[in-house]
Amino acid sequence: MRWLPKTAYIQGSIWHRLPYGLGVVISVNLLLHPKYTSKGPNQSTMNEFSSPQRVRVLLPMSVGAAYDYAVPDGLRVEAGAFVRVPLGPREVVGVVWMLDPVLTIDPSKLRSLLEILPAPPLPAEAREFIDWVATYTMQPAGKVLRMSMSVPDALYPKAPRKGYRVTGQLPERMTAARQRVLDVLEGGIAQTAAQIAEISGVGQSVVKGLAEQNVLETIALPSEEPIPVPQNLDGGFELSEDQIEAASSIVDAVKTEKFSVTLLEGVTGSGKTEVYFEAIAAALEVGRQALVLLPEIALSSQWLTRFEVRFGVKPVEWHSDLGQGERRRNWRAVSEGHAKVVVGARSALFLPYSNLGLIIVDEEHEASFKQDEGVPYNARDMAVVRAQTGKLPVVLASATPALETLVNAKSGKYTHLLLPSRFGGANLPDVELIDLKHYRPGAQRWVSEPLIEAITKTLAEGRQAMLFLNRRGYAPLTLCDACGFRLQCPHCSAWMVEHRLSRRLQCHHCGYCASIPKNCPDCKEEDSFKACGPGIERLTEEAGILFPDANVTMIASDTMTGPKAAAQFVEDMSSGKIDLLVGTQIVAKGYHFPNLTLVGVVDADLGLAGGDLRASERTYQLLSQVAGRAGRAGHAGRVLLQTHMPEHPVMQAIKDQDAAAFIETETMMRQTAAMPPFGRLASVILSSIDAESLRNCSQMLARNAPHGDNFMIMGPAPAPLSMIRGRHRVRFLIKSTKDQNIQAIIGKWIKGIKIPSNTRMQIDVDPYNFM
């Protein structure tokens, strides 16, 4: 059996190795290489530093990831060391995972390590975390390790930079340019030629010419600028009593340096960020690193500014928009302990922290923390596991916590801290429902008369307003007006979405793009394609017609593509350049705009469609977050929700601002159906470009499906999106009681079954996406 943490809390399930007996230990032998799982009495995997004769090396690969190697005489190696090893005709880099493993082959046949790389070893708690994630998600450990080794160049130190400083000699002939260079270097400070040239306003040839005359001498400078260290500065405002009490509890957890989970729940605008900033300050005080996970890196624009005001510098960032050089620098800084505070997307959880002391998961309810491809995992849940392996506190912050988190808090497994009111005396906005059955906007219009009147009044008062529609593009469907032919993606079972700004049709699942055809492919009618339904581009077009004197700006993931664009958006909103904002969910969370007093939700029913078990919960969370953008300062806020179902429990809970009633109803429904967090789910998705092969494979799996009293395997059935990127898709859904080891059920089921080479199988434990 695989080593598991003594106590590891997971949303909706708790795995205990010793004291409580409520959970199970998962067998790692399900999918991993047999070499990797064998363990003898004299083997060791943690923190030893000795001179072993052989080692087991885990490679960042999806298959066959663990191999044994001999250690050359005189080479000292420790567990966690990054090493270069031969693999067939290639040389690859891996991590020493085990010292002196029991061998199943003749030791003389082992190939030797080639090199120990000059990088800090991967810490024991990081290796334990990788093992745990691999076991829980039923993925090869090498595939998980690859997420921690995402910057191979960072394993080698960067070459020192060449610097220049004065020698005290004067040039043969003094010029104005040379004098400026000497002025810059006055006092013996050494700088690179590029830095000197930029400051003094000369070309680098001037600097190098002075060096040739021995006026300047070269010295080796550190390879990169040092990472600035955050300082515990005065934030410029005083915390409320509720904030002080919550902060004190979290700070105590940081200082005890023990594992704990705290739910920090607070209404929008209550100052949750300022509370966990106190915990970050406490971690810095005791010399530990802190990690803050954000669901979308676009949220970090205002967050970074607030952090810089509080701590004097910006934190180290980790997200997909970083350049390769910055990723290398930041990975190395994390590994060496120079990065004291890291803010990033979910992948930041797998960085090789040398001394992690605190994890914050902001907006912990967000579905974007769930990764569906590659290694499917929920960063919120895995953050809890990472905290347990490192014996450190984790804080889950949200205005609308996930039901799984609330259930754990109610049971006492998590500490529950509550901020019931907005900071600074601001009030929550008034919420009103607009029944679209009574206030119909009219043909090809999407904004009702009551909402138009409210926006007109708001703009006349010099305030800002926002229209919210969580749908990108111009229209969700494009069809022929003559015959009804719909334009579908050739690679997916999904409709093409018109993006009028780029004059293209796009599939939002595989990214395929095409021009709108001149003639209908079916009936050959010319210029017959019409847009059906509203997207954010179409709504922006309507807003421009309704409010011609207003500065209308559209913000979506298509237009706000990174931190710089997000910072510009924040600047435009804060300075008042934007009167009417039209946005998707990317602007629904985390932002604070004091002059934004009105929010209009154009289609509040949008998220309720479909069979997703979390549809109501997600809609409630999203609408609550959107509503929370209004009236965050001293001005009264107002929220108008356009809906065809004003009687729906979600709409009533939003209108009455009664989160407790909604949570109680949702809890009862999930409990009755034995759905998470009161039961367990996993999905097995098969995909292939060959529909016949896929059907045969899925039928074979169905015939071999096990049966039991406490679990059931449903399927096979075509996935709701039955084709993506040209691959046909079939899914099974496994449902079990909470006390069942669902991984063991799946492992026993698929053991020995040969999956055709043209078919992929993806296992997703605790799925969020049912498409």
Side-chain angles (χ1 to χ4, degrees), residues 261-388:
V261 186
T262 299
L263 167 59
L264 178 59
E265 180 183 4
V267 298
T268 54
S270 60
K272 296 181 290 295
T273 304
E274 282 67 31
V275 169
Y276 69 67
F277 275 180
E278 295 297 313
I280 293 174
L284 294 173
E285 186 178 330
V286 296
R288 305 291 296 275
Q289 294 170 299
L291 166 64
V292 182
L293 294 179
L294 298 178
E296 296 174 23
I297 198 58
L299 291 180
S300 68
S301 176
Q302 277 192 329
W303 191 95
L304 289 172
T305 300
R306 294 162 74 180
F307 184 93
E308 190 171 9
V309 170
R310 179 67 170 79
F311 295 100
V313 299
K314 289 185 178 180
V316 170
E317 298 179 52
W318 188 262
H319 50 80
S320 58
D321 286 310
L322 295 179
Q324 188 63 21
E326 195 169 4
R327 288 176 66 84
R328 184 212 166 280
R329 170 179 176 265
N330 291 356
W331 191 98
R332 189 88 185 187
V334 169
S335 177
E336 294 174 344
H338 301 312
K340 302 301 181 184
V341 181
V342 177
V343 58
R346 62 191 178 217
S347 60
L349 190 62
F350 291 88
L351 291 173
Y353 300 93
S354 63
N355 191 22
L356 189 60
L358 172 68
I359 301 175
I360 308 289
V361 184
D362 206 349
E363 308 289 359
E364 63 86 28
H365 64 278
E366 265 296 311
S368 58
F369 276 128
K370 180 63 163 57
Q371 176 167 294
D372 295 318
E373 298 184 348
V375 177
Y377 70 96
N378 190 315
R380 174 198 62 202
D381 299 350
M382 295 304 108
V384 175
V385 177
R386 180 64 180 86
Q388 197 280 331

Side-chain angles (χ1 to χ4, degrees), residues 2-278:
R2 165 73 65 200
W3 163 266
L4 286 180
K6 183 177 179 180
T7 310
Y9 293 85
I10 293 293
Q11 302 287 322
S13 354
I14 307 171
W15 303 96
H16 293 291
R17 196 168 65 89
L18 287 178
Y20 300 101
L22 299 177
V24 292
V25 178
I26 311 166
S27 172
V28 79
N29 293 313
L30 301 177
L31 292 178
L32 299 179
H33 192 280
K35 283 186 179 182
Y36 181 64
T37 58
S38 63
K39 186 170 182 179
N42 297 321
Q43 295 174 5
S44 56
T45 60
M46 303 293 175
N47 281 339
E48 291 89 342
F49 189 90
S50 58
S51 299
Q53 294 181 336
R54 53 190 176 269
V55 292
R56 184 155 297 162
V57 176
L58 183 63
L59 303 178
M61 301 165 57
S62 297
V63 292
Y67 296 90
D68 294 337
Y69 290 90
V71 178
D73 292 340
L75 187 65
R76 301 194 64 184
V77 62
E78 60 181 309
F82 291 95
V83 293
R84 187 164 54 89
V85 296
L87 183 68
R90 299 180 293 152
E91 294 181 1
V92 295
V93 173
V95 177
V96 173
W97 220 251
M98 186 180 295
L99 304 179
D100 287 324
V102 172
L103 299 181
T104 57
I105 64 172
D106 184 351
S108 64
K109 296 182 178 180
L110 292 180
R111 303 176 75 179
S112 295
L113 298 181
L114 300 175
E115 178 188 13
I116 298 176
L117 302 190
L122 191 64
E125 58 267 25
R127 305 197 304 275
E128 185 179 344
F129 176 58
I130 288 170
D131 279 348
W132 207 103
V133 173
T135 302
Y136 189 84
T137 61
M138 301 187 69
Q139 300 293 320
K143 196 173 181 180
V144 183
L145 174 64
R146 190 160 56 197
M147 296 192 291
S148 291
M149 295 177 59
S150 58
V151 191
D153 289 347
L155 297 173
Y156 296 88
K158 200 172 181 180
R161 298 175 298 161
K162 182 188 290 187
Y164 295 86
R165 67 182 178 189
V166 294
T167 62
Q169 296 186 34
L170 294 177
E172 298 172 358
R173 183 173 61 88
M174 183 65 73
T175 65
R178 289 175 172 177
Q179 185 61 58
R180 290 199 300 272
V181 169
L182 296 180
D183 291 342
V184 167
L185 296 177
E186 187 177 3
I189 299 175
Q191 299 194 60
T192 65
Q195 292 171 329
I196 297 169
E198 182 180 359
I199 298 172
S200 60
V202 303
Q204 293 190 33
S205 60
V206 176
V207 178
K208 295 175 181 178
L210 290 172
E212 291 173 358
Q213 296 183 33
N214 294 322
V215 177
L216 303 180
E217 64 179 353
T218 61
I219 64 169
L221 295 177
S223 59
E224 292 171 309
E225 293 293 332
I227 299 291
V229 178
Q231 304 297 320
N232 189 7
L233 305 177
D234 182 3
F237 56 87
E238 295 183 1
L239 300 181
S240 67
E241 290 185 7
D242 289 334
Q243 287 177 308
I244 291 173
E245 184 177 348
S248 177
S249 175
I250 301 174
V251 167
D252 288 344
V254 172
K255 291 184 176 179
T256 57
E257 299 188 6
K258 294 181 180 179
F259 169 64
S260 65
V261 186
T262 299
L263 167 59
L264 178 59
E265 180 183 4
V267 298
T268 54
S270 60
K272 296 181 290 295
T273 304
E274 282 67 31
V275 169
Y276 69 67
F277 275 180
E278 295 297 313

Side-chain angles (χ1 to χ4, degrees), residues 464 570-578:
Q464 293 169 309
V570 170
E571 171 63 27
D572 291 345
M573 277 294 289
S574 301
S575 65
K577 290 182 180 180
I578 299 174

Side-chain angles (χ1 to χ4, degrees), residues 345-657:
R346 62 191 178 217
S347 60
L349 190 62
F350 291 88
L351 291 173
Y353 300 93
S354 63
N355 191 22
L356 189 60
L358 172 68
I359 301 175
I360 308 289
V361 184
D362 206 349
E363 308 289 359
E364 63 86 28
H365 64 278
E366 265 296 311
S368 58
F369 276 128
K370 180 63 163 57
Q371 176 167 294
D372 295 318
E373 298 184 348
V375 177
Y377 70 96
N378 190 315
R380 174 198 62 202
D381 299 350
M382 295 304 108
V384 175
V385 177
R386 180 64 180 86
Q388 197 280 331
T389 59
K391 299 178 178 59
L392 54 98
V394 56
V395 178
L396 311 179
S398 176
T400 53
L403 182 60
E404 290 88 346
T405 304
L406 287 170
V407 169
N408 276 334
K410 186 176 181 180
S411 69
K413 294 161 190 166
Y414 296 175
T415 300
H416 193 178
L417 304 177
L418 186 63
L419 301 176
S421 58
R422 283 186 160 181
F423 180 77
N427 295 318
L428 290 170
D430 295 326
V431 181
E432 306 167 35
L433 303 180
I434 299 175
D435 190 343
L436 290 177
K437 297 190 295 291
H438 297 151
Y439 297 98
R440 301 176 66 180
Q444 303 301 305
R445 291 289 180 264
W446 320 105
V447 184
S448 65
E449 192 60 36
L451 184 51
I452 293 173
E453 293 175 358
I455 295 174
T456 301
K457 181 181 178 182
T458 300
L459 298 180
E461 294 172 348
R463 307 296 179 197
Q464 293 169 309
M466 180 172 80
L467 285 173
F468 174 81
L469 178 63
N470 198 27
R471 182 184 282 149
R472 291 185 294 140
Y474 186 83
L477 180 64
T478 303
L479 56 77
C480 175
D481 198 32
C483 69
F485 179 81
R486 301 179 179 187
L487 290 173
Q488 181 174 324
C489 175
H491 308 299
C492 305
S493 54
W495 308 122
M496 298 289 283
V497 177
E498 180 183 355
H499 285 251
R500 191 156 292 188
L501 291 179
S502 59
R503 299 180 181 179
R504 304 282 284 175
L505 294 168
Q506 183 179 357
C507 174
H508 287 175
H509 298 282
C510 72
Y512 173 80
C513 291
S515 300
I516 299 177
K518 182 73 174 175
N519 300 92
C520 174
D522 196 39
C523 72
K524 310 306 179 185
E525 185 76 12
E526 186 175 341
D527 295 326
S528 62
F529 282 104
K530 306 296 180 185
C532 296
I536 189 174
E537 293 178 13
R538 197 171 196 180
L539 181 61
T540 303
E541 185 179 276
E542 181 181 354
I545 296 171
L546 292 172
F547 309 102
D549 297 328
N551 187 343
V552 180
T553 298
M554 183 190 76
I555 294 293
S557 58
D558 307 280
T559 62
M560 193 163 68
T561 55
K564 290 183 179 179
Q568 186 60 54
F569 158 63
V570 170
E571 171 63 27
D572 291 345
M573 277 294 289
S574 301
S575 65
K577 290 182 180 180
I578 299 174
D579 300 317
L580 178 56
L581 171 65
V582 184
T584 62
Q585 67 173 350
I586 201 168
V587 298
K589 307 171 290 290
Y591 289 111
H592 175 79
F593 301 121
N595 204 38
L596 178 63
T597 58
L598 176 69
V599 170
V601 179
V602 174
D603 188 354
D605 308 327
L606 187 58
L608 295 174
D612 190 334
L613 72 93
R614 295 181 176 87
S616 292
E617 181 186 8
R618 286 178 181 170
T619 301
Y620 174 80
Q621 290 166 340
L622 181 58
L623 295 181
S624 296
Q625 293 284 344
V626 174
R629 298 315 102 200
R632 293 172 67 94
H635 311 297
R638 188 181 179 196
V639 180
L640 302 181
L641 306 181
Q642 293 188 161
T643 175
H644 287 95
M645 299 182 290
E647 71 286 348
H648 195 284
V650 170
M651 302 306 159
Q652 290 298 313
I654 296 290
K655 180 178 73 70
D656 298 335
Q657 300 188 35

Side-chain angles (χ1 to χ4, degrees), residues 686-691 694 721-724 726-730:
L686 302 175
S687 67
S688 176
I689 58 174
D690 186 336
L694 179 63
L721 277 173
S722 59
M723 180 183 287
I724 294 181
R727 301 185 68 86
H728 302 275
R729 302 171 73 243
V730 168

